Amino acid sequence: MKSRNVVRLFFSTLMVGGISTIILGFIIRWSEYQPFFSTFNIKEILSITFWLLGLGFIFSVISQMGFFAYLTVHRFGLGIFKSLWSPVQIILIVFVIFDLVYFRFQWFAQSEESILAYVLFPILIFTYGLIVAYIKKSQTNKHAFIPAMFFMVVVTTIEWIPALRANEESWLYLMLFPLLICNSYQLLALHKLIKKS
């Protein structure tokens, strides 16, 4: 890929992360920010908007680091495991989904809390990953499905670790959704930029 396309991908992903975090931030924390809108406090609204934009840029950079790290890992995986790389990725996807349920439950569950409450995020990530992987496969070829699924599930979960450690509900949503959006954007834009190059 040409360097100008790498730069284009970087800045476009940065904007996707920033704008999506602004929109999602106001939606997720509406009860907290609603008083500023009802009193037309423009100064507070602008300061929150810029804060969310900066946060979105940070999420975007984390997403991009994960994306380029995955491209490197994928090349190594193909070189080391060859035809076994797809089964290895499937095993890792299952392992990460299980860990996302089990370890979150072990670390954060209250005494009477059900494990079912900890299944929502893994199901959400897995379902979204399936949709993006299917789109990637339909736009490129059938061999792209498992790598896309691996990236959307495993790499997104690794990128999401800071919010997982905090385990505060609004932060979990606020970080996860922009990461999913940025990751899917990069994944679906990559083959188009390579074709242009």
Side-chain angles (χ1 to χ4, degrees):
M1 187 167 27
K2 290 179 180 176
S3 57
R4 75 175 174 202
N5 285 333
V6 174
V7 172
R8 184 181 298 166
L9 182 64
F10 173 80
F11 283 108
S12 60
T13 308
L14 203 66
M15 292 314 299
V16 166
I19 292 166
S20 63
T21 305
I22 291 170
I23 295 165
L24 291 164
F26 279 115
I27 293 169
I28 292 165
R29 297 188 165 186
W30 179 247
S31 60
E32 193 178 321
Y33 301 145
Q34 193 268 337
F36 301 125
F37 283 91
S38 58
T39 58
F40 296 105
N41 192 334
I42 301 298
K43 185 179 175 184
E44 283 295 331
I45 293 169
L46 285 176
S47 66
I48 293 164
T49 302
F50 282 116
W51 180 77
L52 288 170
L53 180 67
L55 202 59
F57 287 164
I58 292 168
F59 295 158
S60 171
V61 170
I62 292 169
S63 167
Q64 292 184 66
M65 288 184 343
F67 184 61
F68 285 102
Y70 170 69
L71 292 177
T72 306
V73 168
H74 184 63
R75 286 286 120 203
F76 278 119
L78 286 171
I80 294 167
F81 296 104
K82 301 191 183 331
S83 62
L84 292 175
W85 180 227
S86 287
V88 167
Q89 289 179 96
I90 292 169
I91 291 166
L92 289 171
I93 290 168
V94 171
F95 184 73
V96 166
I97 292 291
F98 173 79
D99 284 356
L100 199 51
V101 176
Y102 181 74
F103 285 115
R104 280 193 70 230
F105 178 73
Q106 289 297 316
W107 291 336
F108 301 115
Q110 304 298 322
S111 56
E112 297 175 7
E113 205 170 5
S114 167
I115 197 168
L116 292 174
Y118 293 86
V119 173
L120 174 66
F121 282 122
I123 288 174
L124 176 74
I125 294 168
F126 186 79
T127 306
Y128 188 83
L130 278 175
I131 294 165
V132 173
Y134 178 78
I135 295 168
K136 180 73 174 179
K137 182 190 86 165
S138 63
Q139 290 181 354
T140 55
N141 60 68
K142 64 180 182 179
H143 302 295
F145 183 83
I146 293 172
M149 191 69 190
F150 180 87
F151 174 67
M152 291 306 299
V153 174
V154 176
V155 178
T156 300
T157 302
I158 292 168
E159 293 166 351
W160 194 36
I161 285 175
L164 285 171
R165 292 181 68 182
N167 198 46
E168 202 276 307
E169 189 175 10
S170 66
W171 276 106
L172 288 168
Y173 285 109
L174 188 58
M175 188 172 190
L176 176 62
F177 290 143
L179 284 176
L180 287 172
I181 292 167
C182 288
N183 285 346
S184 55
Y185 173 76
Q186 291 175 98
L187 194 64
L188 298 175
L190 182 66
H191 61 275
K192 295 172 186 170
L193 291 174
I194 289 172
K195 193 179 285 187
K196 279 184 183 177
S197 298

